[in-house]
C-alpha cells in the first residue's frame, strides 16, 4: 500500500545540532535537514483527550512516508493552503507494524504570514 498520493504538502525538517564553542561549552542551532512530503490532519477527539491528560500539546497529526527521517524534537515548517507559515514541533513519531506510513504527533507552535 502506498500513501504518497495522499501527501499534499511539502514540509521542511529542521533539526537541532550541537557544536563545541571552543571555550569548553556547546552551542545549539537549528538547521534544515531536508524536506518531506506530508499530510497535516487534526487529531481525533480521543487522541486530543489522551494528549491533554498526559499534559501534551498534541494539536496535529502529520502523516509521512514510512522511511521519512523525522524525529522527536524536530520542527516541521511549511505553508498551509492559505499561504500562512506554520511551524510544528514533533512530540513523537509512530510507525505501525506494517511499514505503510509514519505519523508524527505534533504541536503547532507558530502560524503567521
Amino acid at each position: 500500500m502506498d500513501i504518497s498520493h495522499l501527501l499534499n504538502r511539502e514540509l521542511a525538517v529542521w533539526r537541532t545540532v550541537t557544536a563545541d564553542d571552543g571555550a569548553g561549552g556547546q552551542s545549539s542551532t537549528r538547521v534544515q535537514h531536508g524536506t518531506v512530503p506530508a499530510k497535516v490532519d487534526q487529531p481525533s477527539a480521543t487522541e486530543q483527550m489522551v494528549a491533554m491528560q498526559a499534559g501534551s500539546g498534541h494539536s496535529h497529526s502529520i502523516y509521512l512516508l514510512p522511511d521519512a527521517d523525522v524525529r522527536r524534537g524536530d520542527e516541521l515548517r511549511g505553508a498551509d493552503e492559505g499561504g500562512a507559515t506554520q511551524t510544528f514541533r514533533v512530540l513523537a513519531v509512530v510507525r505501525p507494524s506494517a511499514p505503510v506510513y509514519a505519523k508524527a504527533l505534533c504541536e503547532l507552535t507558530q502560524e503567521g504570514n
Side-chain angles (χ1 to χ4, degrees), residues 3-65:
I3 67 159
S4 59
H5 66 284
L6 300 172
L7 307 179
N8 57 2
R9 291 175 66 175
E10 192 80 13
L11 297 176
V13 179
W14 289 77
R15 186 166 292 155
T16 301
V17 294
T18 304
D20 291 334
D21 64 7
Q26 294 181 325
S27 63
S28 297
T29 186
R30 285 204 184 264
V31 297
Q32 187 171 348
H33 185 68
T35 60
V36 292
K39 181 178 189 309
V40 179
D41 278 341
Q42 298 286 324
S44 69
T46 301
E47 288 173 322
Q48 288 177 335
M49 183 181 68
V50 169
M52 285 190 308
Q53 289 173 342
S56 173
H58 178 199
S59 64
H60 289 78
S61 295
I62 299 180
Y63 291 88
L64 309 159
L65 292 173

Side-chain angles (χ1 to χ4, degrees), residues 14-16 30 70-76 88-93 105:
W14 289 77
R15 186 166 292 155
T16 301
R30 285 204 184 264
V70 174
R71 303 174 188 168
R72 182 179 61 164
D74 286 351
E75 285 184 353
L76 300 176
F88 300 94
R89 183 171 55 95
V90 178
L91 305 171
V93 179
L105 311 178

